[in-house]
């Protein structure tokens, strides 16, 4: 009983400390590193992911063919500045600033 209470108290203290660090902005650099690793695992960079998200963000029509065209265009444009794309250097340079 006492050990479970001790574990709960330790967990609460760690949680409060992490929330305080997150709100205070102390975890921002670690968050950016984690995001970069996740995007790298998907074969993306910040620029390509941002372009894809922006172009896919709002469907312009309920028509399935137009939605597919919009998604394919977003993937193509994002892929141009992504890993292995023709504009990979441009995408990497843009990603550094984001």
């Amino acid at each position: 009983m006492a050990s479970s209470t001790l574990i709960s108290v330790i967990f609460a203290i760690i949680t409060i400390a992490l929330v305080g660090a997150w709100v205070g902005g102390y975890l921002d650099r670690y968050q950016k590193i984690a995001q970069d690793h996740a995007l790298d695992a998907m074969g993306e960079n910040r620029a390509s992911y941002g372009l894809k998200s922006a172009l896919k963000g709002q469907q312009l029509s309920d028509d399935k063919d137009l939605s597919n065209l919009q998604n394919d265009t977003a993937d193509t444009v994002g892929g141009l500045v992504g890993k292995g794309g023709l504009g990979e250097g441009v995408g990497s340079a843009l990603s550094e600033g984001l």
Side-chain angles (χ1 to χ4, degrees), residues 12 19 21 36 50 58 61 75 90-91:
V19 167
D36 287 338
Q58 182 177 357
S61 172
D75 289 336
V90 173

Side-chain angles (χ1 to χ4, degrees), residues 20-83:
W22 177 61
V23 169
Y26 298 110
L27 300 179
D28 288 345
R29 63 181 169 152
Y30 301 113
Q31 181 180 357
K32 185 173 181 176
I33 291 169
Q35 289 172 348
D36 287 338
H37 284 303
L39 289 171
D40 191 43
M42 294 186 297
E44 302 276 345
N45 56 31
R46 289 178 180 271
S48 65
Y49 183 77
L51 279 171
K52 286 181 183 180
S53 296
L55 293 174
K56 288 183 179 182
Q58 182 177 357
Q59 293 297 322
L60 300 176
S61 172
D62 291 333
D63 184 16
K64 187 174 179 96
D65 292 332
L66 287 176
S67 293
N68 288 339
L69 178 65
Q70 181 180 355
N71 289 338
D72 291 344
T73 303
D75 289 336
T76 302
V77 171
L80 287 175
V81 295
K83 305 270 184 198

